[in-house]
Amino acid sequence: HAFNIDFITSNLQGAILDGIQASRSDFTRSDLTGASLRGADLREARMYRTILVDADLTDAELRRTDLSQADLSGATWIDGVRICRPGSIGRCN
């Protein structure tokens, strides 16, 4: 179980992080392009300016997660159906 971990500015492109227990972890300015975060516990995680382009967030727990200025373009949203539109910054549009 990983929680409250410092991933600041990490390059996690294409990483398979399905089911990771990363609540209260800090992903500030990390690159998670194309990463799989299916079922990940990201409650209260800090994802400020995190790149989540084309990431898979199906069934991820994002309660109180800070997605300020995070790039969610092309990400699969937590419902596993919706794909965030290009330019989705801070929220899935």
Side-chain angles (χ1 to χ4, degrees), residues 58-75:
T58 302
D59 295 326
E61 177 57 67
L62 299 177
R63 198 169 346 150
R64 294 189 302 274
T65 301
D66 179 4
L67 290 167
S68 302
Q69 296 185 36
D71 188 349
L72 292 155
S73 301

Side-chain angles (χ1 to χ4, degrees), residues 20 36-37 72:
I20 190 172
S36 182
L37 294 153
L72 292 155

Side-chain angles (χ1 to χ4, degrees), residues 7 15 25-26 28 31 36 42-43 50-51 53 55 62 69 75-77 79 88:
F7 291 101
S25 293
D26 194 342
T28 297
D31 188 347
S36 182
L42 299 169
R43 288 174 295 165
T50 300
I51 301 169
V53 173
L62 299 177
Q69 296 185 36
T76 302
W77 195 236
D79 61 10
S88 291

Side-chain angles (χ1 to χ4, degrees), residues 13-54:
Q13 293 181 34
I16 307 298
L17 301 171
D18 297 344
I20 190 172
Q21 299 296 310
S23 61
R24 296 183 300 280
S25 293
D26 194 342
F27 291 87
T28 297
R29 295 185 312 276
S30 291
D31 188 347
L32 287 151
T33 300
S36 182
L37 294 153
R38 296 175 69 89
D41 181 354
L42 299 169
R43 288 174 295 165
E44 299 180 43
R46 182 160 168 78
M47 301 191 102
Y48 174 73
R49 299 191 75 176
T50 300
I51 301 169
L52 291 160
V53 173
D54 298 329

